[in-house]
Amino acid sequence: MENWQEISNLDQYDTPLFVVYEDRVKYNIEMALALVSGDLSRFRPHIKTHKMGEMLQIFSGYGIHKIKCATIAEAELAALNGMTDIMIAYQPVGFKIHRMMNLINTFPDCTFSCLVDNLETAKEIAAVAKEAGSVENKEIRVYLDLNTGMNRTGFPVAENVVAFVMALKEISGLKFMGLHIYDGHIHDPDPAVRAARAKPAMDKVLADADELIKSGFADLKIVAGGSNTFSFYSGIESVECSPGTFVFWDENYNRLIPELNFKPAAVLVCSVISLPAPGILCVDLGYKSVSSENPIEKRVVFPWNDDLTPIGHSEEHLTLKHIGPTDYKVGDRIYGLPYHVCPSCALYEEAQVVNDHHQIEKSWRIKARDKKISI
């Protein structure tokens, strides 16, 4: 495997490290834009993977100013870093509605929107907006979140979507923007199978959208998918695509989505801290440094050290079985690829950024890993 990961000044840094390769990030952005034929109106990247202001500034350099996010902190970070059309792909409930109102009033030059999937919550959002005294003449923009089979959130796509939207339209203080889909349950390795699974729900969505457009919703938008169904939705001209993981890519998608030629752009660097028994070594990559929601074999891989296999994991330690001729020593640095990069990134306060000369030259604060920035 090509040794693109090597860092020449790594001895100046402690581990574990979350490291980003800026040239690879830019390559991935350019690849993503190429999939939508360079049409910026069809591209709304999700920022939950990186949560960094510097990444948003790179987006701006490519003319990208609309994004999707999941938290109020991510939305605030976006507003602070040049994004002007910010979708909070989450249905706010309880006090989160008040935080969203504060966000809208704090950044009047930005357009914010959120998701809803039931009329009761939609009415609560409208009521809180009126009570909060939101920006004059500015309705709260909402998208209808649709459940296409993931069964996480959303109004069932098979039900009467048009009737729901008509009822939503009657709620004073809200402005219906369009339909939202996230189908993270579709992750078959064969892109044809993924497309076949996504198509029936999308056909229903497109039919509903056509009916709504005929009923007067001329500017209706459809925001659909993540990285897993990006290749399918990028071929539908009326859809805004919203991948997130593409910026860093990870081992999971590298295996599951072979048709997308994104490059891994983030690695985890750890150190050997102990050789407790023959054929066993331990590195400083515990639960607190790599996402651990998957089984142990699907947390981190070591493609440049394929003689290492994870066998034990705890808060500050990862124990590895060693079968091979390599003579590992305490203090050796080892590069790994996270299996799920998004929550792994969120475990670090900052990312170290590598330049074209294989040196760490700066760091980027992973600011929106915080639950709150100021709002």
Side-chain angles (χ1 to χ4, degrees), residues 7-14 333 360:
I7 301 168
S8 61
N9 61 340
L10 189 57
D11 59 347
Q12 300 174 28
Y13 293 86
D14 193 9
R333 303 296 181 91
I360 295 173

Short mmCIF file of all heavy atoms in Angstrom, two decimals, residues 7-14 333 360:
data_model
loop_
_atom_site.label_atom_id
_atom_site.label_comp_id
_atom_site.label_asym_id
_atom_site.label_seq_id
_atom_site.Cartn_x
_atom_site.Cartn_y
_atom_site.Cartn_z
N ILE A 7 4.45 10.93 8.09
CA ILE A 7 4.64 12.31 8.54
C ILE A 7 6.08 12.46 9.01
O ILE A 7 6.53 11.72 9.91
CB ILE A 7 3.66 12.64 9.69
CG1 ILE A 7 2.21 12.44 9.22
CG2 ILE A 7 3.88 14.06 10.20
CD1 ILE A 7 1.20 12.46 10.35
N SER A 8 6.80 13.40 8.42
CA SER A 8 8.25 13.49 8.69
C SER A 8 8.57 14.11 10.05
O SER A 8 9.64 13.85 10.60
CB SER A 8 8.94 14.28 7.57
OG SER A 8 8.43 15.61 7.52
N ASN A 9 7.67 14.93 10.59
CA ASN A 9 7.96 15.58 11.89
C ASN A 9 7.07 15.03 13.00
O ASN A 9 6.75 15.72 13.97
CB ASN A 9 7.81 17.09 11.78
CG ASN A 9 6.40 17.55 11.39
OD1 ASN A 9 5.62 16.76 10.84
ND2 ASN A 9 6.08 18.80 11.65
N LEU A 10 6.70 13.77 12.88
CA LEU A 10 5.80 13.16 13.85
C LEU A 10 6.42 13.08 15.25
O LEU A 10 5.69 13.08 16.25
CB LEU A 10 5.42 11.75 13.37
CG LEU A 10 4.32 11.01 14.13
CD1 LEU A 10 3.02 11.82 14.14
CD2 LEU A 10 4.08 9.64 13.51
N ASP A 11 7.76 13.05 15.33
CA ASP A 11 8.42 12.95 16.64
C ASP A 11 8.20 14.18 17.52
O ASP A 11 8.48 14.15 18.72
CB ASP A 11 9.91 12.69 16.46
CG ASP A 11 10.63 13.78 15.68
OD1 ASP A 11 9.95 14.62 15.05
OD2 ASP A 11 11.87 13.80 15.70
N GLN A 12 7.63 15.24 16.95
CA GLN A 12 7.37 16.45 17.72
C GLN A 12 5.97 16.46 18.35
O GLN A 12 5.58 17.45 18.97
CB GLN A 12 7.52 17.67 16.81
CG GLN A 12 8.91 17.82 16.20
CD GLN A 12 8.98 18.95 15.19
OE1 GLN A 12 8.23 19.93 15.27
NE2 GLN A 12 9.88 18.83 14.22
N TYR A 13 5.24 15.35 18.20
CA TYR A 13 3.84 15.32 18.65
C TYR A 13 3.58 14.09 19.51
O TYR A 13 4.12 13.01 19.28
CB TYR A 13 2.90 15.31 17.43
CG TYR A 13 2.95 16.60 16.65
CD1 TYR A 13 3.91 16.78 15.66
CD2 TYR A 13 2.09 17.64 16.94
CE1 TYR A 13 3.99 17.97 14.95
CE2 TYR A 13 2.15 18.83 16.24
CZ TYR A 13 3.10 19.00 15.25
OH TYR A 13 3.18 20.18 14.56
N ASP A 14 2.73 14.30 20.52
CA ASP A 14 2.28 13.20 21.36
C ASP A 14 1.14 12.47 20.65
O ASP A 14 0.55 12.98 19.69
CB ASP A 14 1.81 13.76 22.71
CG ASP A 14 1.63 12.69 23.78
OD1 ASP A 14 2.01 11.53 23.53
OD2 ASP A 14 1.09 13.02 24.85
N ARG A 333 5.60 4.34 16.42
CA ARG A 333 4.37 4.99 16.00
C ARG A 333 3.68 4.13 14.94
O ARG A 333 4.34 3.60 14.04
CB ARG A 333 4.65 6.38 15.44
CG ARG A 333 5.39 7.32 16.42
CD ARG A 333 4.54 7.60 17.65
NE ARG A 333 5.19 8.50 18.58
CZ ARG A 333 5.07 9.84 18.57
NH1 ARG A 333 4.33 10.42 17.64
NH2 ARG A 333 5.68 10.57 19.47
N ILE A 360 3.30 17.93 9.57
CA ILE A 360 2.23 18.64 10.27
C ILE A 360 2.64 20.09 10.38
O ILE A 360 3.71 20.41 10.91
CB ILE A 360 2.00 18.04 11.67
CG1 ILE A 360 1.50 16.60 11.56
CG2 ILE A 360 1.00 18.88 12.45
CD1 ILE A 360 1.39 15.86 12.89
#
